[in-house]
Amino acid sequence: MANGTESELVVDLRGRSIETLEDFWEAVTEPCGLPEWFGRNTDAWRDTIQTRGISEVIDSYDVLVVHVDRRGIFAARHREARALRSAFAGRQSRLVVHELS
């Protein structure tokens, strides 16, 4: 963090249909630079965004911010979505869920 300014990697998935965790992994793989061997589960995601050392793209920023719409797995009390949300609990990541207009 230089001069008190954090660099942010912003991944905007609004408007994209995310009905399953697999849809989420497909959506974030390229912009987050996830390697082929990435585990595609919430534990692997938590390691990637909190512990770091898995994605050079994510690691090159101070904070990862992912924007999604409140629909699909982010609309209801989806068990897998809750686990995914909890992975964003660290200081180095934020999940922003937007209400639909």
Side-chain angles (χ1 to χ4, degrees):
M1 182 168 32
N3 301 326
T5 304
E6 293 184 329
S7 61
E8 293 185 347
L9 171 59
V10 177
V11 178
D12 192 343
L13 304 178
R14 289 176 287 183
R16 186 163 181 159
S17 177
I18 302 176
E19 301 296 325
T20 65
L21 277 179
E22 188 59 33
D23 292 340
F24 180 79
W25 305 135
E26 286 296 321
V28 298
T29 293
E30 185 178 335
C32 291
L34 299 178
E36 280 188 31
W37 50 265
F38 173 74
R40 289 182 173 245
N41 62 67
T42 54
D43 289 333
W45 181 246
R46 182 176 290 107
D47 290 344
T48 302
I49 63 177
Q50 291 183 12
T51 307
R52 306 286 178 117
I54 294 172
S55 164
E56 290 181 15
V57 173
I58 291 174
D59 294 353
S60 66
Y61 292 88
D62 297 312
V63 179
L64 168 66
V65 181
V66 178
H67 293 269
V68 296
D69 290 326
R70 186 175 303 280
R71 65 178 175 173
I73 65 171
F74 297 105
R77 297 206 173 269
H78 194 279
R79 181 180 54 83
E80 292 174 318
R82 281 196 310 269
L84 184 59
R85 284 185 184 119
S86 72
F88 283 90
R91 292 179 324 158
Q92 295 176 306
S93 60
R94 286 193 311 274
L95 176 66
V96 181
V97 181
H98 296 269
E99 296 294 333
L100 295 171
S101 312

